[in-house]
Coordinates of all heavy atoms in Angstrom, one line a residue:
N1 N 72.6 104.7 85.5 CA 71.3 104.3 84.9 C 71.4 103.0 84.3 O 71.1 102.8 83.1 CB 70.8 105.4 83.9 CG 69.3 105.2 83.6 OD1 68.5 104.6 84.3 ND2 68.9 105.6 82.4
F2 N 71.7 102.0 85.1 CA 71.9 100.6 84.5 C 70.6 99.9 84.6 O 69.8 99.9 85.6 CB 72.9 99.8 85.4 CG 73.3 98.5 84.9 CD1 74.2 98.3 83.8 CD2 72.7 97.3 85.4 CE1 74.5 97.1 83.3 CE2 73.0 96.1 84.9 CZ 73.9 96.0 83.9
G3 N 70.2 99.2 83.5 CA 69.0 98.4 83.5 C 67.7 99.1 83.1 O 66.6 98.7 83.4
S4 N 67.9 100.2 82.4 CA 66.7 101.0 81.9 C 66.0 100.2 80.8 O 66.5 99.2 80.3 CB 67.1 102.4 81.5 OG 68.1 102.3 80.4
G5 N 64.9 100.7 80.3 CA 64.2 100.1 79.2 C 63.1 99.1 79.7 O 62.6 99.3 80.8
S6 N 62.9 98.1 78.9 CA 61.8 97.1 79.2 C 62.1 96.4 80.5 O 63.3 96.2 80.9 CB 61.6 96.1 78.1 OG 62.6 95.2 78.0
S7 N 61.1 95.8 81.1 CA 61.2 95.2 82.4 C 61.6 93.7 82.4 O 61.5 93.1 83.4 CB 59.8 95.3 83.2 OG 58.8 94.6 82.4
R8 N 62.1 93.2 81.3 CA 62.4 91.8 81.2 C 63.3 91.2 82.3 O 64.4 91.7 82.6 CB 63.0 91.5 79.8 CG 64.4 92.1 79.6 CD 64.9 92.0 78.2 NE 64.1 92.8 77.3 CZ 64.4 93.2 76.0 NH1 65.6 92.7 75.6 NH2 63.7 93.9 75.3
E9 N 62.8 90.2 82.9 CA 63.5 89.5 84.0 C 64.7 88.8 83.4 O 65.7 88.5 84.1 CB 62.7 88.6 84.8 CG 63.3 88.1 86.1 CD 62.4 87.2 87.0 OE1 61.4 86.8 86.5 OE2 62.8 87.0 88.1
H10 N 64.7 88.5 82.1 CA 65.7 87.7 81.5 C 67.1 88.5 81.6 O 68.1 87.8 81.6 CB 65.4 87.5 80.0 CG 64.1 86.8 79.7 ND1 62.9 87.4 80.1 CD2 63.9 85.6 79.2 CE1 62.0 86.5 79.7 NE2 62.5 85.4 79.2
A11 N 67.0 89.8 81.7 CA 68.3 90.6 81.9 C 69.0 90.2 83.2 O 70.2 90.0 83.2 CB 68.0 92.1 81.9
A12 N 68.2 90.1 84.3 CA 68.8 89.6 85.5 C 69.2 88.2 85.5 O 70.3 87.8 86.0 CB 67.8 89.8 86.7
W13 N 68.5 87.3 84.7 CA 68.9 85.9 84.6 C 70.3 85.9 83.9 O 71.1 85.0 84.2 CB 67.9 85.2 83.7 CG 66.5 85.0 84.3 CD1 66.1 85.3 85.5 CD2 65.4 84.4 83.6 NE1 64.8 85.0 85.7 CE2 64.3 84.4 84.5 CE3 65.2 83.8 82.3 CZ2 63.1 83.9 84.2 CZ3 64.0 83.3 82.0 CH2 62.9 83.3 82.9
A14 N 70.5 86.7 82.9 CA 71.7 86.7 82.1 C 72.9 87.2 83.0 O 74.0 86.6 83.0 CB 71.6 87.6 80.9
I15 N 72.7 88.2 83.8 CA 73.7 88.7 84.7 C 74.1 87.6 85.7 O 75.3 87.3 85.9 CB 73.3 90.0 85.4 CG1 73.2 91.1 84.4 CG2 74.2 90.3 86.6 CD1 72.4 92.3 84.9
A16 N 73.1 87.0 86.3 CA 73.4 85.9 87.3 C 74.0 84.7 86.6 O 74.9 84.1 87.1 CB 72.1 85.5 88.0
G17 N 73.5 84.4 85.4 CA 74.0 83.2 84.7 C 75.4 83.3 84.2 O 76.1 82.3 84.2
Y18 N 75.9 84.6 84.0 CA 77.3 84.8 83.7 C 78.2 84.6 84.9 O 79.4 84.3 84.7 CB 77.4 86.2 83.1 CG 78.8 86.5 82.6 CD1 79.2 86.0 81.3 CD2 79.8 87.1 83.4 CE1 80.5 86.2 80.9 CE2 81.1 87.3 82.9 CZ 81.4 86.9 81.7 OH 82.7 87.1 81.2
G19 N 77.6 84.8 86.1 CA 78.4 84.6 87.3 C 78.6 85.8 88.1 O 79.3 85.8 89.1
F20 N 78.0 86.9 87.7 CA 78.1 88.1 88.6 C 77.2 88.0 89.8 O 76.0 87.5 89.7 CB 77.7 89.4 87.8 CG 78.7 89.8 86.7 CD1 78.3 89.9 85.4 CD2 80.0 90.1 87.1 CE1 79.2 90.2 84.4 CE2 80.9 90.5 86.1 CZ 80.5 90.5 84.8
R21 N 77.7 88.3 91.0 CA 76.9 88.3 92.2 C 76.5 89.7 92.6 O 75.6 89.9 93.4 CB 77.7 87.7 93.4 CG 78.2 86.3 93.2 CD 77.2 85.2 93.2 NE 76.2 85.2 94.3 CZ 76.3 84.9 95.5 NH1 77.5 84.4 96.0 NH2 75.3 84.9 96.4
V22 N 77.3 90.7 92.1 CA 77.1 92.1 92.5 C 77.1 93.0 91.2 O 78.0 92.7 90.4 CB 78.1 92.6 93.5 CG1 78.0 94.1 93.8 CG2 78.2 91.7 94.8
V23 N 76.3 94.0 91.1 CA 76.4 95.0 90.1 C 76.4 96.3 90.9 O 75.6 96.6 91.7 CB 75.2 95.0 89.1 CG1 75.4 96.1 88.1 CG2 75.1 93.7 88.4
V24 N 77.5 97.1 90.6 CA 77.6 98.5 91.2 C 77.4 99.5 90.2 O 77.8 99.5 89.1 CB 79.1 98.6 91.8 CG1 79.3 100.0 92.4 CG2 79.4 97.5 92.7
S25 N 76.6 100.5 90.6 CA 76.3 101.7 89.7 C 75.8 102.8 90.6 O 75.6 102.7 91.8 CB 75.1 101.3 88.7 OG 74.8 102.4 87.9
S26 N 75.8 104.0 90.0 CA 75.3 105.2 90.8 C 73.8 105.3 90.7 O 73.2 106.1 91.4 CB 76.0 106.5 90.3 OG 75.8 106.7 88.9
F27 N 73.2 104.6 89.7 CA 71.7 104.6 89.6 C 71.2 103.4 88.8 O 71.8 103.0 87.8 CB 71.2 105.9 88.9 CG 69.7 106.0 88.8 CD1 69.0 106.4 89.9 CD2 69.0 105.6 87.7 CE1 67.6 106.5 89.9 CE2 67.7 105.6 87.6 CZ 66.9 106.1 88.7
F28 N 70.2 102.7 89.3 CA 69.6 101.6 88.7 C 68.1 101.9 88.3 O 67.4 102.6 89.1 CB 69.5 100.3 89.6 CG 70.8 99.7 89.8 CD1 71.7 100.1 90.9 CD2 71.3 98.6 89.0 CE1 72.9 99.5 91.1 CE2 72.5 98.0 89.3 CZ 73.3 98.5 90.3
A29 N 67.6 101.4 87.2 CA 66.2 101.4 86.9 C 65.5 100.5 88.0 O 66.0 99.4 88.3 CB 65.9 100.9 85.5
D30 N 64.4 101.0 88.5 CA 63.8 100.3 89.7 C 63.4 98.9 89.4 O 63.7 98.0 90.2 CB 62.5 101.1 90.1 CG 62.9 102.2 91.1 OD1 64.0 102.3 91.6 OD2 62.0 103.1 91.3
I31 N 62.7 98.6 88.3 CA 62.3 97.3 88.0 C 63.5 96.3 87.8 O 63.5 95.2 88.4 CB 61.4 97.2 86.7 CG1 60.0 98.0 87.1 CG2 61.1 95.8 86.3 CD1 59.1 98.1 85.9
H32 N 64.5 96.8 87.1 CA 65.7 95.9 86.9 C 66.4 95.7 88.3 O 66.8 94.6 88.5 CB 66.6 96.6 85.9 CG 67.9 95.7 85.7 ND1 67.8 94.5 85.0 CD2 69.1 95.8 86.2 CE1 69.0 94.0 85.1 NE2 69.8 94.7 85.8
K33 N 66.4 96.7 89.1 CA 67.0 96.5 90.4 C 66.3 95.4 91.2 O 67.0 94.6 91.8 CB 67.0 97.9 91.2 CG 67.6 97.9 92.5 CD 67.5 99.3 93.2 CE 68.2 99.3 94.5 NZ 68.0 100.7 95.1
N34 N 65.0 95.4 91.2 CA 64.2 94.4 91.9 C 64.4 93.0 91.3 O 64.5 92.0 92.0 CB 62.7 94.8 92.0 CG 62.5 95.9 93.0 OD1 63.1 95.9 94.1 ND2 61.7 96.8 92.7
N35 N 64.5 93.0 89.9 CA 64.7 91.7 89.3 C 66.1 91.1 89.6 O 66.2 89.9 89.8 CB 64.6 91.9 87.7 CG 63.2 92.0 87.2 OD1 62.3 91.7 87.9 ND2 63.1 92.6 86.0

């Protein structure tokens, strides 16, 4: 359940900005997954 909560795109900006290209989990919140 990674990325639950509010739909802020800034969360995906932060992950990409840190240098991650892939996030692996057994479940993602839908909006965050799309972001």
Side-chain angles (χ1 to χ4, degrees):
N1 194 26
F2 187 79
S4 57
S6 74
S7 60
R8 65 189 68 164
E9 190 175 18
H10 302 67
W13 294 357
I15 290 165
Y18 186 80
F20 288 121
R21 303 288 317 278
V22 178
V23 181
V24 181
S25 179
S26 57
F27 183 82
F28 289 86
D30 278 346
I31 292 174
H32 180 72
K33 184 179 181 182
N34 285 320
N35 284 341

